[in-house]
Amino acid sequence: MSMTPAAAGPVRAAPARVTAKVLKGQKALVTGANSGIGRAAALALGEAGADVVVNYVVDDQAAEQVVAQIKSSGSDAYAHRADVSQESEVQGMFRDMMERFGTIDVLVNNAGLQRDAPFHEMTLAQWNTVIGINLTGQFLCAREAVREFLRRGVVESVSSAAGKIICMSSVHQVIPWGGHANYAASKGGIMMMMESLAQELAPHRIRVNSIAPGAIRTPINRTAWQTPEAYARLMTLIPYDRIGEPVDIARAAVWLASDDSDYVVGATLFVDGGMTLFPGFATGG
Ligand code: NAD
């Protein structure tokens, strides 16, 4: 599996930009960080000055490559293999992070997958795998992060918040998706989990927010952009007329992790080129 999928169809890329070190001194953990959006988020957090734990579950080499790239940008990083749906592995990963980095300031709850099937053919295993990784995985990681945020509290010299959690949701937290009931249910669940956590934890100056990506060019949705025909079909859903790139999401993650977004609490930031604007109604419906 290539980590930076080759371009297919007409491409208008995300514009380039130099990142300031807005996360200097912060410790971050990104789940599913050796591919796609998680990889881009880990690199961007590192570029912004954070030290990063690169969580992954398969492909050590890809994870080590992300680590090397973060180190070359001047931040510290290491890779940690753990399945986010397994409580003991998640707890071990956080214990290890406390030993190596001392604390956590930013959690990017990104790991996720799809196991698609027409609803009447969906197996319990397909349902449980998606809910277990996409939703329960976010619960398990968020809980460990929050325990540390509460223990440590605010360190003003590092951040005005005691901690930040960024949940990777999807436009499918609001757009129903036939053939993907398990995935849509997991993302709808993330929305209410995120908002409930944000409400409960804001008094402790812990900020919990989500990013809802639209169609982003990663291995998870390769069939939607790989051929010119598929790309053209996809564009009928995207008013801004380009596919999203992982860096589009990574930049949003850096902003949500930084004090620049200090008053943003319990929000879902849609980064989707207008996919949630009901483009079918642009010409009267
Ligand atoms: P991807 O397949 O490139 O990356 C997913 C990552 O999660 C991989 O590193 C994978 O190994 C990891 N992962 C899977 N199961 C895991 C587990 N049990 N424990 C730890 N890591 C695990 O896909 P992506 O597009 O980068 O997806 C990242 C997130 O973005 C997912 O939550 C996905 O639902 C969300 N998302 C993606 C898009 C898109 O268009 N690409 C749109 C909306 C939301």
Side-chain angles (χ1 to χ4, degrees):
M1 186 182 345
S2 89
M3 286 166 308
T4 311
V11 178
R12 199 150 53 83
R17 188 181 135 247
V18 179
T19 318
K21 301 278 181 197
V22 289
L23 300 178
K24 191 84 198 142
Q26 304 209 32
K27 313 293 179 193
L29 188 155
V30 182
T31 64
N34 65 347
S35 175
I37 291 170
R39 175 178 184 276
L43 294 175
L45 293 172
E47 249 179 70
D51 295 333
V52 185
V53 179
V54 175
N55 161 254
Y56 71 104
V57 71
V58 287
D59 196 348
D60 314 61
Q61 244 190 327
E64 286 307 333
Q65 202 238 345
V66 177
V67 167
Q69 212 172 318
I70 293 170
K71 285 184 168 170
S72 73
S73 72
S75 295
D76 199 3
Y78 69 88
H80 188 110
R81 182 182 197 131
D83 178 340
V84 296
S85 68
Q86 301 303 312
E87 184 175 35
S88 60
E89 294 186 33
V90 169
Q91 290 182 327
M93 175 165 69
F94 276 81
R95 262 197 312 276
D96 196 51
M97 183 176 184
M98 296 312 110
E99 276 167 29
R100 295 180 70 160
F101 280 176
T103 191
I104 180 168
D105 303 285
V106 179
L107 167 67
V108 182
N109 249 340
N110 166 79
L113 45 62
Q114 293 178 210
R115 292 288 182 268
D116 310 329
F119 190 66
H120 63 286
E121 289 173 6
M122 189 172 284
T123 64
L124 181 59
Q126 285 172 320
W127 175 269
N128 282 339
T129 298
V130 171
I131 298 297
I133 292 168
N134 295 14
L135 184 57
T136 308
Q138 291 212 9
F139 155 69
L140 290 171
C141 293
R143 190 184 61 179
E144 295 312 307
V146 166
R147 286 173 175 168
E148 171 60 10
F149 297 159
L150 291 173
R151 183 202 66 77
R152 193 206 56 231
V154 176
V155 180
E156 293 285 358
S157 59
V158 174
S159 173
S160 50
K164 284 86 53 160
I165 297 176
I166 298 156
C167 300
M168 207 52 72
S169 184
S170 163
V171 290
H172 295 297
Q173 73 171 37
V174 292
I175 301 178
W177 204 14
H180 307 74
N182 47 1
Y183 184 83
S186 75
K187 297 302 183 179
I190 286 169
M191 178 176 72
M192 284 314 295
M193 182 181 74
M194 179 280 286
E195 292 182 8
S196 301
L197 291 189
Q199 183 197 60
E200 181 176 334
L201 297 167
H204 300 279
R205 283 168 68 182
I206 295 168
R207 295 194 299 112
V208 189
N209 293 287
S210 286
I211 299 173
I216 310 300
R217 191 194 308 273
T218 76
I220 210 175
N221 60 356
R222 194 183 294 278
T223 53
W225 50 261
Q226 207 168 21
T227 65
E229 298 72 35
Y231 191 92
R233 251 193 331 273
L234 183 61
M235 285 310 106
T236 65
L237 300 174
I238 305 176
Y240 203 55
D241 200 33
R242 75 164 168 88
I243 194 169
E245 303 295 341
V247 72
D248 288 308
I249 306 303
R251 288 172 182 163
V254 169
W255 183 70
L256 283 174
S258 78
D259 285 353
D260 291 345
S261 61
D262 190 52
Y263 209 49
V264 180
V265 175
T268 296
L269 180 53
F270 285 82
V271 183
D272 68 353
M275 192 180 243
T276 40
L277 297 176
F278 298 98
F281 283 82
T283 50

